[in-house]
Amino acid sequence: MAESDSEPTSSDPDASHRRLDARRNQERVIAAARELFSEQGLQVTVPQVAERAGVGRATVYRSYPSKEDLIVAVVQRQFEELEQRTRAALDGVDAYREWCSFVPDLFGRLARDRVLADAFFEGRLVPAARILDLIGQLVAAARSSGKIRPDAGVLDIRVLLCGVVRQLIVLDERDPAVWRRYADLVLNALRP
């Protein structure tokens, strides 16, 4: 094989430049998607993301073959942080106290970040489902305090949390005080 036919090596300046450009484009796509999803929700289209990022649609689709892949990439870090917060609550000494601080914290995060709220509501995304299961475990642990209904379970959490989140999204509610009020209502709904 002739030298010009060989694969570019890591010392090939053109290959390094192409990889650097690809990384920059990917960062611009993620930043544009996060901005647009936060502003408008998950109904944003891939062409809108490409336009905001200043790249072609093919550039977006090369890294994210579907819109769902792009959504998952954008919210992955947020879900990782939320999962860490949920696990910290599960590891707490007083599960009921952790539950009572977790719900307002969760709703505060969702009030500030529309993409996280939309993705959390969707629940079909693997990280959201995993977090909802962890929240269900937190409720189960908190039940032993006697301050949560003995029949409260994962389905109740899905209906209450996702139902409230969905309605606040539909109403395009962004006021953190309103979200806090509904966090308090969710907490009260699970008391005996």
Side-chain angles (χ1 to χ4, degrees), residues 136-157:
Q137 291 174 33
L138 179 59
V139 168
R143 274 196 311 253
S144 67
S145 70
K147 297 176 184 175
I148 290 185
R149 296 173 55 111
D151 60 345
V154 174
L155 180 60
D156 299 312
I157 298 309

Side-chain angles (χ1 to χ4, degrees), residues 102-183:
F102 176 82
V103 173
D105 179 61
L106 172 65
F107 275 54
R109 288 173 187 247
L110 298 175
R112 290 186 303 271
D113 193 332
R114 181 66 179 267
V115 67
L116 181 61
D118 280 353
F120 183 83
F121 164 73
E122 284 291 319
R124 62 191 165 81
L125 300 172
V126 173
R130 186 172 58 240
I131 290 168
L132 286 169
D133 289 341
L134 290 171
I135 294 170
Q137 291 174 33
L138 179 59
V139 168
R143 274 196 311 253
S144 67
S145 70
K147 297 176 184 175
I148 290 185
R149 296 173 55 111
D151 60 345
V154 174
L155 180 60
D156 299 312
I157 298 309
R158 285 183 177 264
V159 170
L160 287 171
L161 289 180
C162 292
V164 169
V165 168
R166 179 63 185 149
Q167 286 307 307
L168 292 172
I169 290 170
V170 167
L171 296 171
D172 197 28
E173 184 58 61
R174 295 175 187 257
D175 182 350
V178 172
W179 282 77
R180 173 58 195 232
R181 178 176 184 270
Y182 283 97

Side-chain angles (χ1 to χ4, degrees), residues 5-99:
D5 293 339
S6 66
E7 291 292 316
T9 64
S10 58
S11 62
D12 179 357
D14 289 336
S16 295
H17 182 69
R18 284 190 300 272
R19 283 192 299 271
L20 183 59
D21 283 347
R23 279 194 301 271
R24 284 185 189 141
N25 284 343
Q26 191 172 22
E27 289 170 14
R28 288 176 25 206
V29 167
I30 291 295
R34 185 171 182 168
E35 287 172 10
L36 284 166
F37 290 153
S38 293
E39 293 166 8
Q40 301 174 30
L42 297 180
Q43 70 275 8
V44 168
T45 65
V46 171
Q48 288 172 306
V49 171
E51 183 178 337
R52 173 78 60 100
V55 299
R57 284 184 271 186
T59 300
V60 178
Y61 284 120
R62 191 174 301 117
S63 296
Y64 309 103
S66 72
K67 181 178 166 183
E68 189 163 296
D69 292 328
L70 180 59
I71 293 167
V72 169
V74 169
V75 299
Q76 187 63 43
R77 182 176 180 112
Q78 294 153 303
F79 274 123
E80 288 170 4
E81 292 168 3
L82 186 55
E83 184 173 345
Q84 288 173 359
R85 169 63 177 103
T86 309
R87 288 187 186 282
L90 274 168
D91 292 340
V93 175
D94 183 338
Y96 179 72
R97 182 179 295 161
E98 293 290 344
W99 166 249

